[in-house]
């Protein structure tokens, strides 16, 4: 991220230096959301477990957004752009464990490419053994075949 600072380029013929503030790079390009706004929305959604419609109500009450869709896209967009790094790091740590328990459950996805809304998709729950540093991760897969856990586990050599 670029930090705010001073740029002293000459702006006129008399060689006077006019300070220019360089704006920081936005966490979501094209959005007016600041890093603190995104942090609030993500904590509200993922830590406190608040449904997205309530996150939108909170922003509306603070007069931050008049459209619920905008609040949802802040959460979803920033999750896609930034949280995958944390997920990938947790996945690497999970794969380093000698034992991983896995199970799947069906989930309904209303709008999924090349699938009807009534068809089943699967959420795989994977958890390492009982240790101080046990890990739990969820992995969405459109199908139930053995390729799904293999895709998630990669080159894992422990017990699954």
């Amino acid at each position: 991220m670029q930090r705010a600072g001073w740029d002293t380029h000459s702006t006129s013929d008399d060689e006077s230096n006019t300070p220019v503030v360089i704006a920081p790079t936005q966490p979501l390009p094209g959005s007016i959301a600041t890093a603190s706004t995104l942090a609030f929305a993500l904590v509200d959604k993922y830590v406190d477990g608040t449904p997205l419609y309530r996150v939108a109500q909170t922003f509306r009450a603070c007069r931050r957004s008049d459209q619920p869709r905008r609040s949802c896209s802040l959460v979803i967009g920033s999750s896609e752009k930034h949280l995958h790094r944390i997920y990938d790091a947790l996945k690497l740590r999970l794969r380093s464990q000698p034992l991983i328990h896995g199970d799947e459950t069906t989930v309904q996805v209303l709008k999924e490419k090349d699938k009807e809304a009534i068809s089943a998709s699967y959420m795989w729950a994977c958890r390492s053994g009982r240790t101080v540093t046990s890990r739990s991760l969820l992995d969405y897969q459109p199908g139930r075949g053995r390729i799904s856990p293999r895709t998630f586990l990669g080159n894992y050599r422990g017990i699954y």
Side-chain angles (χ1 to χ4, degrees):
M1 236 184 231
Q2 184 180 5
R3 293 183 178 253
W6 293 99
D7 186 6
T8 56
H9 287 106
S10 178
T11 57
S12 66
D13 293 337
D14 64 357
E15 297 296 321
S16 65
N17 291 331
T18 305
V20 178
V21 176
I22 301 168
T25 305
Q26 289 298 94
L28 288 176
S31 170
I32 61 169
T34 63
S36 60
T37 304
L38 292 177
F40 172 81
L42 292 174
V43 167
D44 209 19
K45 171 64 182 149
Y46 294 116
V47 176
D48 298 339
T50 306
L52 284 175
Y53 79 91
R54 298 239 342 257
V55 174
Q57 286 176 344
T58 303
F59 278 117
R60 205 172 308 119
C62 297
R63 302 198 188 275
R64 288 289 185 184
S65 175
D66 56 347
Q67 296 178 1
R69 247 199 249 166
R70 193 174 296 161
S71 302
C72 295
S73 59
L74 287 179
V75 171
I76 294 167
S78 58
S79 298
E80 288 177 343
K81 186 167 176 61
H82 300 292
L83 294 184
H84 71 87
R85 291 178 241 163
I86 295 170
Y87 182 84
D88 291 344
L90 291 172
K91 190 172 168 181
L92 283 174
R93 288 197 176 187
L94 178 70
R95 286 184 189 167
S96 71
Q97 302 296 313
L99 174 68
I100 298 175
H101 303 279
D103 195 15
E104 90 284 341
T105 188
T106 57
V107 292
Q108 183 181 17
V109 180
L110 297 179
K111 291 184 180 180
E112 189 172 15
K113 188 177 178 179
D114 301 328
K115 287 186 90 171
E116 294 182 27
I118 59 171
S119 61
S121 296
Y122 297 88
M123 187 67 69
W124 289 79
C126 298
R127 181 174 171 82
S128 60
R130 291 186 179 194
T131 64
V132 176
T133 60
S134 62
R135 309 271 184 254
S136 297
L137 286 177
L138 299 175
D139 181 50
Y140 169 78
Q141 294 291 332
R144 188 179 181 192
R146 65 177 143 185
I147 191 72
S148 299
R150 284 185 181 167
T151 302
F152 179 76
L153 295 172
N155 59 358
Y156 177 69
R157 297 288 177 234
I159 300 170
Y160 180 74

